[in-house]
Each structure stands twice: as C-alpha cells, then as structure tokens.
Amino acid sequence: MTGDGGPGSFSREAWTRNATACETIRSMPFNAELAAGTLPQDRFRHYIVQDAHYLIGFGRALSLAAAKAPEPDTIVQFARAAEEAIVVERALHGGFFRDYGIGPDTFAATPLTPACDHYVSFLMATAYAEPFEVVCAALLPCFWIYKAVGDDIFARAGQGNPYRAWIDTYAGADFAAAVAAMIAVTDRAALNVSAATRERMQRAFAQATRLEWMFWDSAYRDAAWPL
C-alpha cells in the first residue's frame, strides 16, 4: 500500500506518518482472508451490514463537507460523493443482502456496533465542528485506504473468490477516479492553512485511519456492545 500524493503534499506526509497503520490494515486477518476467499460468511455478513449503516453516516458527513466547500466545483464533487456513498455502494450491498437473506427489517433492527458508531460519530462531529480543510482530512482515509486495500486484494484474489463483487468495486476505475479527486481536493485545501490547522488535519487523518482498522477488526471478531 503506497501513497499517491505529490512530494511535499499534505497527502504524502499523511500517508508517510500512517504507513505502519496502513500496512497493518493491509495484512490484518479480515483482509488477508477476504483476498484468499476464505473469510467466513458470517464475518463478511457482519461487515456488510455495518458498512451499510456506516455509509449513511459517511454520506451525511460528505453532504456537510459540500455545504462548507469554498467553490462551486467542490460543492458538486462532495454532493456527488454523498450520492454515490448512499446509492451506488448500497447497490453493491444489496446484492449481498439478497444472497444472505437480509431484508430491510433485519437491517433496521441491527444496531451499529461500537466501532461503527465511533467512526460515524467521529466523522459527523468533525463535519459539524471543524473547518472544511480538517473535514477533508477526516474523510480521505475511507477513500484512500479502501482503494489501496482493494488494489492489493484484487492482485491476490482468484476469479472464484465469493467476494469478487466487493473486490472489483474498490479496485475499479470509477472508484480510482473518486479517490484521486479526493486526494487532490484535500491537498489543495491544505496549501494555505496555518501550521496549527495542518496539524489538526494530520490528527484527523490519523484518527480516521485508526477507525478504519477498528471497523474491519470489529467485523472479524463479530464485536458487539458488552452491555
């Protein structure tokens, strides 16, 4: 897993700072078994239900970022990203939901796990309380790490992998374009910020990266609320 930002950019610095965490995500049991096609179905089922819940919150955070965006083109970019998070990726989940017999009532009755709730709450709090630049940094890991993981798994997965639809989505050209656009807008946002704001951006990126790991680890362990 490597970074794509240019030399001296915010994104290159953020990826370098979090390289160990990103490598841990790449090699963690959930993703290793997903690539091999050996991930137990119940763990993937846990993941897609929680991911569907997460994408609703992610879409809201993207919509708030659109409202804070400084120019019209960026408003459109984030508004479209919000639409894709809820509409396009929900279609991917829908196929697995049908395969696993997960209906609307079952989905609605399944609460957010601690990891999912924490991640969504972090993004929503950041989107409401922080400036646009910091919001971009908090949203970027979900785009970028998913792309890096998707590319890595795609390179290792066989055609008979039962999770091929998921793998193909996150290793596809459309998602690659969305990730490149998100990296670019975050780097532009960081160009003229103060040193203090840039460091807040770095902290937001790091926290979201940790939460990416927590989300997948939680799915692998089928983690739930202890009370």
Side-chain angles (χ1 to χ4, degrees), residues 111-179:
L112 278 66
T113 61
C116 184
D117 185 77
H118 188 173
Y119 200 174
V120 169
S121 296
F122 164 71
L123 290 179
M124 292 298 292
T126 303
Y128 272 111
E130 294 286 359
F132 176 72
E133 296 84 4
V134 179
V135 180
C136 287
L139 292 167
L140 180 55
C142 185
F143 284 90
W144 203 354
I145 292 174
Y146 260 68
K147 173 59 179 168
V149 167
D151 286 346
D152 181 72
I153 291 175
F154 182 82
R156 293 188 280 157
Q159 287 299 322
N161 191 301
Y163 308 116
R164 193 78 210 186
W166 185 97
I167 295 165
D168 289 346
T169 295
Y170 292 110
D174 289 345
F175 190 62
V179 173

Short mmCIF file of all heavy atoms in Angstrom, two decimals, residues 111-179:
data_model
loop_
_atom_site.label_atom_id
_atom_site.label_comp_id
_atom_site.label_asym_id
_atom_site.label_seq_id
_atom_site.Cartn_x
_atom_site.Cartn_y
_atom_site.Cartn_z
N PRO A 111 -28.31 -2.94 15.34
CA PRO A 111 -27.71 -1.68 15.78
C PRO A 111 -26.29 -1.52 15.28
O PRO A 111 -25.63 -2.50 14.90
CB PRO A 111 -27.73 -1.80 17.31
CG PRO A 111 -27.65 -3.27 17.56
CD PRO A 111 -28.42 -3.92 16.45
N LEU A 112 -25.83 -0.30 15.26
CA LEU A 112 -24.43 -0.03 14.96
C LEU A 112 -23.55 -0.63 16.06
O LEU A 112 -23.88 -0.50 17.25
CB LEU A 112 -24.16 1.47 14.86
CG LEU A 112 -24.49 2.16 13.53
CD1 LEU A 112 -25.99 2.15 13.25
CD2 LEU A 112 -23.97 3.59 13.54
N THR A 113 -22.49 -1.29 15.68
CA THR A 113 -21.54 -1.81 16.65
C THR A 113 -20.74 -0.65 17.26
O THR A 113 -20.76 0.47 16.73
CB THR A 113 -20.57 -2.79 15.99
OG1 THR A 113 -19.84 -2.09 14.97
CG2 THR A 113 -21.31 -3.98 15.40
N PRO A 114 -20.01 -0.90 18.35
CA PRO A 114 -19.19 0.18 18.91
C PRO A 114 -18.23 0.80 17.91
O PRO A 114 -18.08 2.03 17.86
CB PRO A 114 -18.44 -0.53 20.06
CG PRO A 114 -19.35 -1.62 20.48
CD PRO A 114 -20.00 -2.10 19.22
N ALA A 115 -17.58 -0.03 17.08
CA ALA A 115 -16.62 0.51 16.11
C ALA A 115 -17.33 1.37 15.06
O ALA A 115 -16.85 2.46 14.71
CB ALA A 115 -15.86 -0.62 15.44
N CYS A 116 -18.45 0.90 14.55
CA CYS A 116 -19.20 1.65 13.54
C CYS A 116 -19.74 2.95 14.13
O CYS A 116 -19.63 4.03 13.53
CB CYS A 116 -20.33 0.79 12.99
SG CYS A 116 -21.25 1.56 11.64
N ASP A 117 -20.31 2.85 15.32
CA ASP A 117 -20.86 4.03 15.97
C ASP A 117 -19.76 5.07 16.23
O ASP A 117 -19.96 6.26 16.02
CB ASP A 117 -21.51 3.62 17.29
CG ASP A 117 -22.21 4.77 17.98
OD1 ASP A 117 -23.31 5.14 17.55
OD2 ASP A 117 -21.63 5.31 18.95
N HIS A 118 -18.60 4.61 16.68
CA HIS A 118 -17.48 5.51 16.95
C HIS A 118 -17.04 6.22 15.68
O HIS A 118 -16.83 7.44 15.67
CB HIS A 118 -16.33 4.71 17.55
CG HIS A 118 -15.19 5.54 18.06
ND1 HIS A 118 -14.14 5.01 18.75
CD2 HIS A 118 -14.92 6.87 17.95
CE1 HIS A 118 -13.27 5.97 19.06
NE2 HIS A 118 -13.73 7.10 18.57
N TYR A 119 -16.90 5.47 14.59
CA TYR A 119 -16.43 6.04 13.33
C TYR A 119 -17.43 7.07 12.80
O TYR A 119 -17.05 8.19 12.42
CB TYR A 119 -16.20 4.91 12.33
CG TYR A 119 -15.29 5.26 11.16
CD1 TYR A 119 -14.90 4.27 10.26
CD2 TYR A 119 -14.80 6.55 10.96
CE1 TYR A 119 -14.06 4.55 9.20
CE2 TYR A 119 -13.95 6.84 9.89
CZ TYR A 119 -13.59 5.83 9.02
OH TYR A 119 -12.76 6.12 7.95
N VAL A 120 -18.70 6.70 12.77
CA VAL A 120 -19.72 7.63 12.28
C VAL A 120 -19.78 8.88 13.16
O VAL A 120 -19.85 10.01 12.65
CB VAL A 120 -21.10 6.93 12.22
CG1 VAL A 120 -22.21 7.96 11.96
CG2 VAL A 120 -21.10 5.87 11.13
N SER A 121 -19.73 8.69 14.47
CA SER A 121 -19.78 9.83 15.38
C SER A 121 -18.59 10.76 15.18
O SER A 121 -18.73 12.00 15.20
CB SER A 121 -19.83 9.35 16.83
OG SER A 121 -21.01 8.62 17.07
N PHE A 122 -17.41 10.18 14.97
CA PHE A 122 -16.22 10.99 14.72
C PHE A 122 -16.38 11.82 13.45
O PHE A 122 -16.09 13.03 13.43
CB PHE A 122 -14.98 10.09 14.61
CG PHE A 122 -13.79 10.77 14.00
CD1 PHE A 122 -13.10 11.75 14.70
CD2 PHE A 122 -13.38 10.44 12.72
CE1 PHE A 122 -12.01 12.39 14.12
CE2 PHE A 122 -12.29 11.06 12.13
CZ PHE A 122 -11.61 12.05 12.84
N LEU A 123 -16.83 11.19 12.37
CA LEU A 123 -16.98 11.92 11.11
C LEU A 123 -18.04 13.01 11.22
O LEU A 123 -17.85 14.13 10.72
CB LEU A 123 -17.35 10.95 9.98
CG LEU A 123 -16.26 9.98 9.53
CD1 LEU A 123 -16.79 9.08 8.42
CD2 LEU A 123 -15.01 10.72 9.06
N MET A 124 -19.15 12.70 11.87
CA MET A 124 -20.21 13.70 11.99
C MET A 124 -19.77 14.87 12.87
O MET A 124 -20.02 16.04 12.55
CB MET A 124 -21.47 13.05 12.55
CG MET A 124 -22.13 12.07 11.60
SD MET A 124 -22.69 12.84 10.06
CE MET A 124 -24.01 13.88 10.70
N ALA A 125 -19.11 14.58 13.97
CA ALA A 125 -18.63 15.65 14.85
C ALA A 125 -17.62 16.53 14.12
O ALA A 125 -17.65 17.76 14.23
CB ALA A 125 -18.01 15.06 16.12
N THR A 126 -16.72 15.89 13.38
CA THR A 126 -15.73 16.65 12.61
C THR A 126 -16.39 17.50 11.54
O THR A 126 -16.06 18.68 11.36
CB THR A 126 -14.71 15.70 11.98
OG1 THR A 126 -14.09 14.91 13.00
CG2 THR A 126 -13.63 16.45 11.23
N ALA A 127 -17.35 16.91 10.84
CA ALA A 127 -18.02 17.63 9.76
C ALA A 127 -18.80 18.84 10.28
O ALA A 127 -18.87 19.88 9.62
CB ALA A 127 -18.97 16.69 9.01
N TYR A 128 -19.38 18.73 11.48
CA TYR A 128 -20.11 19.84 12.06
C TYR A 128 -19.19 20.90 12.65
O TYR A 128 -19.41 22.10 12.47
CB TYR A 128 -21.05 19.34 13.17
CG TYR A 128 -22.41 18.91 12.70
CD1 TYR A 128 -22.78 17.57 12.72
CD2 TYR A 128 -23.33 19.85 12.23
CE1 TYR A 128 -24.04 17.17 12.29
CE2 TYR A 128 -24.57 19.45 11.79
CZ TYR A 128 -24.93 18.11 11.82
OH TYR A 128 -26.18 17.72 11.39
N ALA A 129 -18.14 20.48 13.36
CA ALA A 129 -17.40 21.40 14.21
C ALA A 129 -16.11 21.94 13.61
O ALA A 129 -15.62 22.99 14.04
CB ALA A 129 -17.07 20.72 15.55
N GLU A 130 -15.54 21.23 12.64
CA GLU A 130 -14.23 21.62 12.13
C GLU A 130 -14.33 22.37 10.80
O GLU A 130 -15.33 22.25 10.08
CB GLU A 130 -13.36 20.36 11.94
CG GLU A 130 -13.00 19.65 13.23
CD GLU A 130 -11.95 20.40 14.04
OE1 GLU A 130 -11.47 21.47 13.60
OE2 GLU A 130 -11.60 19.90 15.12
N PRO A 131 -13.29 23.11 10.44
CA PRO A 131 -13.28 23.79 9.14
C PRO A 131 -13.16 22.79 7.99
O PRO A 131 -12.78 21.63 8.20
CB PRO A 131 -12.05 24.69 9.22
CG PRO A 131 -11.17 24.07 10.23
CD PRO A 131 -12.08 23.43 11.23
N PHE A 132 -13.47 23.25 6.81
CA PHE A 132 -13.50 22.40 5.62
C PHE A 132 -12.23 21.59 5.46
O PHE A 132 -12.27 20.39 5.15
CB PHE A 132 -13.74 23.27 4.38
CG PHE A 132 -13.69 22.52 3.09
CD1 PHE A 132 -14.71 21.66 2.72
CD2 PHE A 132 -12.61 22.69 2.22
CE1 PHE A 132 -14.66 20.97 1.51
CE2 PHE A 132 -12.57 22.01 1.01
CZ PHE A 132 -13.58 21.15 0.66
N GLU A 133 -11.08 22.21 5.69
CA GLU A 133 -9.80 21.53 5.49
C GLU A 133 -9.67 20.29 6.37
O GLU A 133 -9.21 19.23 5.93
CB GLU A 133 -8.64 22.49 5.76
CG GLU A 133 -8.57 23.68 4.83
CD GLU A 133 -9.47 24.83 5.26
OE1 GLU A 133 -10.11 24.73 6.34
OE2 GLU A 133 -9.53 25.84 4.53
N VAL A 134 -10.08 20.42 7.63
CA VAL A 134 -9.98 19.30 8.56
C VAL A 134 -11.01 18.23 8.21
O VAL A 134 -10.74 17.02 8.34
CB VAL A 134 -10.15 19.78 10.01
CG1 VAL A 134 -10.08 18.62 11.00
CG2 VAL A 134 -9.08 20.82 10.34
N VAL A 135 -12.17 18.64 7.75
CA VAL A 135 -13.19 17.67 7.33
C VAL A 135 -12.67 16.83 6.17
O VAL A 135 -12.82 15.60 6.17
CB VAL A 135 -14.50 18.38 6.94
CG1 VAL A 135 -15.54 17.36 6.49
CG2 VAL A 135 -15.04 19.21 8.10
N CYS A 136 -12.01 17.46 5.22
CA CYS A 136 -11.42 16.72 4.09
C CYS A 136 -10.45 15.66 4.59
O CYS A 136 -10.46 14.51 4.13
CB CYS A 136 -10.70 17.66 3.14
SG CYS A 136 -11.76 18.71 2.13
N ALA A 137 -9.59 16.04 5.53
CA ALA A 137 -8.58 15.12 6.05
C ALA A 137 -9.22 13.94 6.76
O ALA A 137 -8.72 12.81 6.70
CB ALA A 137 -7.63 15.86 6.98
N ALA A 138 -10.33 14.18 7.46
CA ALA A 138 -11.02 13.10 8.16
C ALA A 138 -11.71 12.13 7.19
O ALA A 138 -11.80 10.93 7.46
CB ALA A 138 -12.04 13.69 9.13
N LEU A 139 -12.19 12.65 6.07
CA LEU A 139 -12.90 11.82 5.10
C LEU A 139 -11.96 11.05 4.18
O LEU A 139 -12.32 10.01 3.64
CB LEU A 139 -13.83 12.69 4.24
CG LEU A 139 -15.02 13.32 4.95
CD1 LEU A 139 -15.65 14.40 4.07
CD2 LEU A 139 -16.05 12.27 5.32
N LEU A 140 -10.75 11.57 3.99
CA LEU A 140 -9.84 10.99 3.00
C LEU A 140 -9.47 9.53 3.25
O LEU A 140 -9.43 8.74 2.30
CB LEU A 140 -8.58 11.86 2.91
CG LEU A 140 -7.49 11.40 1.92
CD1 LEU A 140 -8.05 11.24 0.51
CD2 LEU A 140 -6.33 12.39 1.93
N PRO A 141 -9.18 9.09 4.49
CA PRO A 141 -8.77 7.68 4.66
C PRO A 141 -9.79 6.67 4.17
O PRO A 141 -9.40 5.62 3.64
CB PRO A 141 -8.54 7.57 6.17
CG PRO A 141 -8.11 8.95 6.57
CD PRO A 141 -8.98 9.86 5.74
N CYS A 142 -11.07 6.94 4.32
CA CYS A 142 -12.07 5.99 3.85
C CYS A 142 -11.94 5.78 2.34
O CYS A 142 -12.04 4.65 1.85
CB CYS A 142 -13.47 6.47 4.21
SG CYS A 142 -14.75 5.27 3.78
N PHE A 143 -11.72 6.84 1.60
CA PHE A 143 -11.50 6.72 0.16
C PHE A 143 -10.19 5.98 -0.13
O PHE A 143 -10.16 4.97 -0.84
CB PHE A 143 -11.41 8.11 -0.48
CG PHE A 143 -12.71 8.82 -0.66
CD1 PHE A 143 -13.21 9.63 0.34
CD2 PHE A 143 -13.43 8.70 -1.84
CE1 PHE A 143 -14.41 10.32 0.17
CE2 PHE A 143 -14.62 9.38 -2.02
CZ PHE A 143 -15.12 10.19 -1.01
N TRP A 144 -9.12 6.52 0.43
CA TRP A 144 -7.77 6.12 0.03
C TRP A 144 -7.41 4.72 0.51
O TRP A 144 -6.85 3.91 -0.24
CB TRP A 144 -6.79 7.14 0.59
CG TRP A 144 -5.48 7.24 -0.11
CD1 TRP A 144 -5.00 6.43 -1.12
CD2 TRP A 144 -4.45 8.19 0.14
NE1 TRP A 144 -3.74 6.83 -1.48
CE2 TRP A 144 -3.38 7.91 -0.73
CE3 TRP A 144 -4.33 9.26 1.04
CZ2 TRP A 144 -2.21 8.66 -0.74
CZ3 TRP A 144 -3.17 10.01 1.03
CH2 TRP A 144 -2.12 9.71 0.14
N ILE A 145 -7.72 4.42 1.76
CA ILE A 145 -7.38 3.10 2.29
C ILE A 145 -8.20 2.01 1.61
O ILE A 145 -7.68 0.94 1.29
CB ILE A 145 -7.53 3.08 3.82
CG1 ILE A 145 -6.45 3.97 4.46
CG2 ILE A 145 -7.44 1.65 4.36
CD1 ILE A 145 -6.57 4.15 5.95
N TYR A 146 -9.48 2.29 1.35
CA TYR A 146 -10.29 1.31 0.63
C TYR A 146 -9.71 1.04 -0.76
O TYR A 146 -9.69 -0.11 -1.22
CB TYR A 146 -11.73 1.79 0.50
CG TYR A 146 -12.66 1.16 1.51
CD1 TYR A 146 -12.56 1.44 2.87
CD2 TYR A 146 -13.63 0.25 1.12
CE1 TYR A 146 -13.40 0.86 3.80
CE2 TYR A 146 -14.48 -0.34 2.03
CZ TYR A 146 -14.36 -0.03 3.37
OH TYR A 146 -15.19 -0.62 4.28
N LYS A 147 -9.23 2.08 -1.43
CA LYS A 147 -8.64 1.90 -2.75
C LYS A 147 -7.37 1.07 -2.65
O LYS A 147 -7.15 0.14 -3.45
CB LYS A 147 -8.35 3.26 -3.37
CG LYS A 147 -7.59 3.22 -4.69
CD LYS A 147 -8.32 2.43 -5.76
CE LYS A 147 -7.54 2.45 -7.07
NZ LYS A 147 -8.09 1.45 -8.03
N ALA A 148 -6.50 1.39 -1.69
CA ALA A 148 -5.25 0.65 -1.53
C ALA A 148 -5.51 -0.81 -1.18
O ALA A 148 -4.88 -1.72 -1.72
CB ALA A 148 -4.38 1.32 -0.47
N VAL A 149 -6.45 -1.04 -0.26
CA VAL A 149 -6.80 -2.41 0.11
C VAL A 149 -7.43 -3.14 -1.08
O VAL A 149 -7.11 -4.30 -1.36
CB VAL A 149 -7.75 -2.42 1.33
CG1 VAL A 149 -8.37 -3.80 1.53
CG2 VAL A 149 -7.00 -1.99 2.59
N GLY A 150 -8.33 -2.47 -1.78
CA GLY A 150 -8.98 -3.08 -2.93
C GLY A 150 -7.98 -3.49 -4.01
O GLY A 150 -8.07 -4.58 -4.57
N ASP A 151 -7.01 -2.61 -4.31
CA ASP A 151 -5.99 -2.94 -5.31
C ASP A 151 -5.15 -4.13 -4.86
O ASP A 151 -4.83 -5.02 -5.66
CB ASP A 151 -5.07 -1.73 -5.53
CG ASP A 151 -5.73 -0.63 -6.35
OD1 ASP A 151 -6.79 -0.89 -6.96
OD2 ASP A 151 -5.19 0.49 -6.37
N ASP A 152 -4.78 -4.14 -3.58
CA ASP A 152 -3.95 -5.22 -3.06
C ASP A 152 -4.69 -6.55 -3.10
O ASP A 152 -4.13 -7.57 -3.53
CB ASP A 152 -3.53 -4.89 -1.62
CG ASP A 152 -2.64 -5.96 -1.02
OD1 ASP A 152 -1.47 -6.05 -1.44
OD2 ASP A 152 -3.11 -6.71 -0.15
N ILE A 153 -5.95 -6.55 -2.70
CA ILE A 153 -6.74 -7.78 -2.72
C ILE A 153 -7.00 -8.23 -4.14
O ILE A 153 -6.94 -9.42 -4.46
CB ILE A 153 -8.05 -7.59 -1.93
CG1 ILE A 153 -7.74 -7.44 -0.43
CG2 ILE A 153 -9.01 -8.74 -2.16
CD1 ILE A 153 -8.96 -7.13 0.42
N PHE A 154 -7.28 -7.28 -5.03
CA PHE A 154 -7.53 -7.61 -6.44
C PHE A 154 -6.35 -8.36 -7.05
O PHE A 154 -6.52 -9.30 -7.83
CB PHE A 154 -7.80 -6.33 -7.23
CG PHE A 154 -8.13 -6.54 -8.68
CD1 PHE A 154 -9.41 -6.89 -9.07
CD2 PHE A 154 -7.15 -6.40 -9.66
CE1 PHE A 154 -9.72 -7.09 -10.42
CE2 PHE A 154 -7.44 -6.60 -11.00
CZ PHE A 154 -8.73 -6.95 -11.38
N ALA A 155 -5.14 -7.92 -6.68
CA ALA A 155 -3.93 -8.55 -7.23
C ALA A 155 -3.74 -9.97 -6.73
O ALA A 155 -3.06 -10.78 -7.37
CB ALA A 155 -2.70 -7.71 -6.87
N ARG A 156 -4.37 -10.31 -5.60
CA ARG A 156 -4.17 -11.63 -4.99
C ARG A 156 -5.36 -12.56 -5.16
O ARG A 156 -5.21 -13.78 -5.01
CB ARG A 156 -3.89 -11.47 -3.49
CG ARG A 156 -2.58 -10.78 -3.17
CD ARG A 156 -2.31 -10.83 -1.67
NE ARG A 156 -3.04 -9.81 -0.93
CZ ARG A 156 -3.33 -9.91 0.36
NH1 ARG A 156 -3.00 -10.98 1.03
NH2 ARG A 156 -3.96 -8.93 0.98
N ALA A 157 -6.53 -12.02 -5.43
CA ALA A 157 -7.76 -12.82 -5.41
C ALA A 157 -7.97 -13.57 -6.72
O ALA A 157 -7.68 -13.06 -7.81
CB ALA A 157 -8.96 -11.92 -5.14
N GLY A 158 -8.50 -14.76 -6.61
CA GLY A 158 -8.83 -15.55 -7.78
C GLY A 158 -10.23 -15.22 -8.30
O GLY A 158 -11.04 -14.61 -7.61
N GLN A 159 -10.51 -15.65 -9.53
CA GLN A 159 -11.81 -15.36 -10.14
C GLN A 159 -12.95 -16.01 -9.37
O GLN A 159 -14.08 -15.52 -9.38
CB GLN A 159 -11.82 -15.82 -11.59
CG GLN A 159 -10.99 -14.96 -12.52
CD GLN A 159 -11.47 -13.53 -12.58
OE1 GLN A 159 -12.67 -13.24 -12.56
NE2 GLN A 159 -10.53 -12.58 -12.63
N GLY A 160 -12.70 -17.12 -8.71
CA GLY A 160 -13.75 -17.81 -7.98
C GLY A 160 -13.98 -17.28 -6.58
O GLY A 160 -14.76 -17.87 -5.82
N ASN A 161 -13.34 -16.18 -6.23
CA ASN A 161 -13.49 -15.61 -4.88
C ASN A 161 -14.96 -15.22 -4.65
O ASN A 161 -15.54 -14.50 -5.47
CB ASN A 161 -12.59 -14.39 -4.74
CG ASN A 161 -12.49 -13.89 -3.31
OD1 ASN A 161 -13.48 -13.55 -2.69
ND2 ASN A 161 -11.25 -13.83 -2.80
N PRO A 162 -15.58 -15.68 -3.56
CA PRO A 162 -17.00 -15.38 -3.34
C PRO A 162 -17.28 -13.90 -3.08
O PRO A 162 -18.44 -13.49 -3.14
CB PRO A 162 -17.35 -16.23 -2.12
CG PRO A 162 -16.05 -16.45 -1.42
CD PRO A 162 -15.02 -16.55 -2.51
N TYR A 163 -16.24 -13.14 -2.83
CA TYR A 163 -16.41 -11.72 -2.54
C TYR A 163 -15.94 -10.86 -3.72
O TYR A 163 -15.59 -9.70 -3.55
CB TYR A 163 -15.65 -11.36 -1.26
CG TYR A 163 -16.02 -12.26 -0.11
CD1 TYR A 163 -15.08 -13.11 0.48
CD2 TYR A 163 -17.34 -12.33 0.36
CE1 TYR A 163 -15.43 -13.96 1.51
CE2 TYR A 163 -17.69 -13.19 1.39
CZ TYR A 163 -16.73 -14.00 1.97
OH TYR A 163 -17.08 -14.85 2.99
N ARG A 164 -15.97 -11.44 -4.92
CA ARG A 164 -15.43 -10.78 -6.10
C ARG A 164 -16.13 -9.46 -6.39
O ARG A 164 -15.49 -8.50 -6.84
CB ARG A 164 -15.57 -11.71 -7.31
CG ARG A 164 -14.76 -11.27 -8.52
CD ARG A 164 -13.30 -11.62 -8.34
NE ARG A 164 -12.44 -10.66 -9.02
CZ ARG A 164 -11.12 -10.82 -9.13
NH1 ARG A 164 -10.53 -11.87 -8.59
NH2 ARG A 164 -10.40 -9.91 -9.74
N ALA A 165 -17.42 -9.37 -6.17
CA ALA A 165 -18.14 -8.13 -6.46
C ALA A 165 -17.61 -6.98 -5.62
O ALA A 165 -17.45 -5.85 -6.10
CB ALA A 165 -19.64 -8.31 -6.23
N TRP A 166 -17.34 -7.25 -4.35
CA TRP A 166 -16.76 -6.22 -3.47
C TRP A 166 -15.38 -5.84 -3.97
O TRP A 166 -15.04 -4.65 -4.08
CB TRP A 166 -16.69 -6.75 -2.04
CG TRP A 166 -16.22 -5.75 -1.04
CD1 TRP A 166 -17.00 -4.99 -0.23
CD2 TRP A 166 -14.86 -5.38 -0.73
NE1 TRP A 166 -16.21 -4.17 0.56
CE2 TRP A 166 -14.90 -4.39 0.26
CE3 TRP A 166 -13.61 -5.80 -1.21
CZ2 TRP A 166 -13.75 -3.82 0.79
CZ3 TRP A 166 -12.46 -5.22 -0.70
CH2 TRP A 166 -12.54 -4.24 0.29
N ILE A 167 -14.55 -6.83 -4.28
CA ILE A 167 -13.18 -6.59 -4.71
C ILE A 167 -13.14 -5.76 -5.98
O ILE A 167 -12.39 -4.79 -6.10
CB ILE A 167 -12.45 -7.94 -4.92
CG1 ILE A 167 -12.33 -8.69 -3.58
CG2 ILE A 167 -11.08 -7.74 -5.55
CD1 ILE A 167 -11.96 -10.16 -3.73
N ASP A 168 -13.98 -6.11 -6.96
CA ASP A 168 -13.97 -5.41 -8.24
C ASP A 168 -14.41 -3.95 -8.09
O ASP A 168 -13.92 -3.06 -8.79
CB ASP A 168 -14.87 -6.12 -9.24
CG ASP A 168 -14.29 -7.46 -9.71
OD1 ASP A 168 -13.09 -7.69 -9.45
OD2 ASP A 168 -15.03 -8.25 -10.30
N THR A 169 -15.34 -3.69 -7.16
CA THR A 169 -15.82 -2.32 -6.96
C THR A 169 -14.70 -1.42 -6.49
O THR A 169 -14.49 -0.32 -7.03
CB THR A 169 -16.97 -2.30 -5.94
OG1 THR A 169 -18.09 -3.00 -6.49
CG2 THR A 169 -17.39 -0.85 -5.63
N TYR A 170 -13.95 -1.85 -5.49
CA TYR A 170 -12.94 -0.98 -4.89
C TYR A 170 -11.61 -0.99 -5.63
O TYR A 170 -10.73 -0.19 -5.32
CB TYR A 170 -12.78 -1.32 -3.41
CG TYR A 170 -14.03 -0.97 -2.64
CD1 TYR A 170 -14.86 -1.95 -2.13
CD2 TYR A 170 -14.40 0.36 -2.48
CE1 TYR A 170 -16.04 -1.62 -1.46
CE2 TYR A 170 -15.58 0.69 -1.82
CZ TYR A 170 -16.38 -0.30 -1.31
OH TYR A 170 -17.55 0.04 -0.66
N ALA A 171 -11.46 -1.88 -6.62
CA ALA A 171 -10.27 -1.87 -7.46
C ALA A 171 -10.60 -1.31 -8.85
O ALA A 171 -9.75 -1.32 -9.73
CB ALA A 171 -9.70 -3.28 -7.59
N GLY A 172 -11.83 -0.79 -9.02
CA GLY A 172 -12.27 -0.34 -10.33
C GLY A 172 -11.85 1.08 -10.67
O GLY A 172 -11.42 1.86 -9.81
N ALA A 173 -12.00 1.43 -11.96
CA ALA A 173 -11.58 2.74 -12.45
C ALA A 173 -12.42 3.87 -11.89
O ALA A 173 -11.89 4.96 -11.60
CB ALA A 173 -11.64 2.75 -13.98
N ASP A 174 -13.72 3.66 -11.73
CA ASP A 174 -14.58 4.72 -11.21
C ASP A 174 -14.17 5.11 -9.79
O ASP A 174 -14.10 6.30 -9.45
CB ASP A 174 -16.05 4.28 -11.24
CG ASP A 174 -16.61 4.21 -12.64
OD1 ASP A 174 -15.98 4.77 -13.56
OD2 ASP A 174 -17.68 3.61 -12.81
N PHE A 175 -13.93 4.11 -8.97
CA PHE A 175 -13.53 4.41 -7.59
C PHE A 175 -12.14 5.05 -7.57
O PHE A 175 -11.87 5.95 -6.77
CB PHE A 175 -13.56 3.15 -6.73
CG PHE A 175 -13.40 3.43 -5.26
CD1 PHE A 175 -14.32 4.20 -4.58
CD2 PHE A 175 -12.32 2.93 -4.56
CE1 PHE A 175 -14.17 4.48 -3.22
CE2 PHE A 175 -12.16 3.18 -3.20
CZ PHE A 175 -13.09 3.97 -2.53
N ALA A 176 -11.26 4.60 -8.44
CA ALA A 176 -9.92 5.20 -8.51
C ALA A 176 -10.01 6.69 -8.83
O ALA A 176 -9.27 7.51 -8.26
CB ALA A 176 -9.09 4.48 -9.57
N ALA A 177 -10.90 7.06 -9.74
CA ALA A 177 -11.06 8.47 -10.09
C ALA A 177 -11.59 9.28 -8.91
O ALA A 177 -11.15 10.40 -8.65
CB ALA A 177 -12.01 8.60 -11.29
N ALA A 178 -12.52 8.70 -8.15
CA ALA A 178 -13.07 9.39 -6.98
C ALA A 178 -11.99 9.59 -5.92
O ALA A 178 -11.92 10.64 -5.26
CB ALA A 178 -14.24 8.60 -6.41
N VAL A 179 -11.14 8.59 -5.74
CA VAL A 179 -10.07 8.69 -4.75
C VAL A 179 -9.06 9.76 -5.17
O VAL A 179 -8.63 10.58 -4.35
CB VAL A 179 -9.37 7.32 -4.57
CG1 VAL A 179 -8.15 7.46 -3.67
CG2 VAL A 179 -10.35 6.31 -4.00
#
